[in-house]
Amino acid sequence: MRYSDIVKISLSHDELIEAIKHAKKEHFIDNLRNRSEFVAFDSKVRGYIGEIFLRDLFNKSSITILRTDYEEDGVETDIDIEVKNTKNHTFKIECKTSLVPDVYGSIAACINKCDIKIIRREKHFTRIPIDLHVQIYFDELRKIRDERLSKISKHVVDYSDEELIRLLGLESLDGYFVAWIDKDTLNSYLDGLEMYDRIWKFGFRQFWKCPLSLAKAPVDLAIFINSH
């Protein structure tokens, strides 16, 4: 995929409120790095923004949403969305949202340097329980945003939903659906690598390697689901 393939996320004010309310209900487990309360909350809100965007995309494409935000028995991975196409075939989807790493400075640079963020929870990549991995980027440098949010006083519960939208700057934060990859393409890529080349590390976690340059263009996601 190319930088010109990315798709801007556009949500209504009511959908931003929906993301805020959803994030308030969930207990956030910080499984990546140490974060302040508002940095962690912001990450959760951005995750729900990504899910709402995908929901809207699927609704426009005759793709039925079966479940959201659930865990299967014996599976550690949170499955963000499960959908069904017109052929009654189902797909489990994980939506990952990221800010731009300061070292790269732009989404365009990320496409050439970064990976879809697939946390390694399994001993072998063939056991990943996800059919489709989606990567969304928000166009702000991570360190700058984290530092600003870390300075917010009081707690999340002390602010109204409208105040939280303003504090997080959600209406001016540009998000983009950057890329996605299906299980078969990912498995084929990882199978061609040596064991030690399949993993990268950040913070507390290990990730399966999945270069954005290998991934597929956003416009093809609904087409892929409906054709399989």
Side-chain angles (χ1 to χ4, degrees):
M1 58 83 56
R2 303 161 298 178
Y3 177 73
S4 59
D5 294 327
I6 69 175
V7 174
K8 188 172 183 179
I9 292 173
S10 180
L11 297 190
S12 68
H13 185 79
D14 286 345
E15 286 175 323
L16 293 179
I17 291 289
E18 180 185 347
I20 290 284
K21 288 183 179 298
H22 198 160
K24 279 183 170 181
K25 293 178 181 178
E26 298 296 324
H27 174 64
F28 187 88
I29 299 174
D30 198 345
N31 59 8
L32 184 59
R33 56 194 171 92
N34 291 317
R35 311 186 225 202
S36 72
E37 179 183 355
F38 273 93
V39 171
F41 181 73
D42 176 63
S43 178
K44 200 71 169 176
V45 171
R46 287 186 286 103
Y48 290 131
I49 287 174
E51 291 180 28
I52 292 168
F53 168 78
L54 289 179
R55 180 192 69 192
D56 293 347
L57 173 66
F58 295 148
N59 285 338
K60 295 174 183 176
S61 305
S62 301
I63 296 169
T64 302
I65 297 173
L66 299 176
R67 294 189 286 181
T68 60
D69 299 320
Y70 72 97
E71 292 183 5
E72 292 186 332
D73 291 341
V75 176
E76 186 181 348
T77 304
D78 290 334
I79 298 169
D80 293 323
I81 305 174
E82 184 175 14
V83 302
K84 179 178 70 173
N85 65 13
T86 54
K87 300 176 183 178
N88 288 324
H89 295 160
T90 62
F91 302 84
K92 298 179 179 69
I93 302 170
E94 188 171 25
C95 177
K96 289 299 183 181
T97 56
S98 303
L99 295 165
V100 176
D102 299 71
V103 67
Y104 299 132
S106 69
I107 293 176
C110 289
I111 291 172
N112 295 320
K113 301 288 187 178
C114 296
D115 292 62
I116 293 181
K117 194 169 61 179
I118 306 173
I119 296 175
R120 183 194 180 193
R121 300 178 176 93
E122 311 79 12
K123 289 186 177 180
H124 197 269
F125 60 85
T126 55
R127 298 180 65 86
I128 299 172
I130 301 296
D131 300 306
L132 302 167
H133 303 270
V134 170
Q135 181 66 55
I136 287 171
Y137 269 92
F138 289 89
D139 198 11
E140 187 169 344
L141 297 182
R142 187 182 66 222
K143 184 177 180 181
I144 290 175
R145 186 168 180 84
D146 284 3
E147 287 178 349
R148 179 176 69 80
L149 297 182
S150 296
K151 295 176 182 177
I152 298 175
S153 61
K154 300 190 287 187
H155 301 281
V156 170
V157 295
D158 297 319
Y159 295 95
S160 69
D161 297 341
E162 295 287 351
E163 288 171 330
L164 288 169
I165 284 180
R166 290 195 295 273
L167 283 170
L168 300 181
L170 295 181
E171 292 187 314
S172 60
L173 179 63
D174 291 330
Y176 296 88
F177 177 12
V178 171
W180 64 278
I181 197 165
D182 61 282
K183 177 187 291 187
D184 289 344
T185 302
L186 176 63
N187 285 356
S188 178
Y189 169 73
L190 291 173
D191 192 48
L193 299 179
E194 297 293 338
M195 180 67 72
Y196 54 80
D197 286 330
R198 294 172 180 163
I199 303 299
W200 59 279
K201 298 179 181 180
F202 176 72
F204 305 144
R205 285 290 193 174
Q206 292 184 339
F207 298 82
W208 294 109
K209 189 145 191 207
C210 181
L212 286 169
S213 57
L214 168 76
K216 302 182 179 184
V219 69
D220 294 327
L221 177 59
I223 296 171
F224 178 93
I225 292 174
N226 279 326
S227 64
H228 282 70

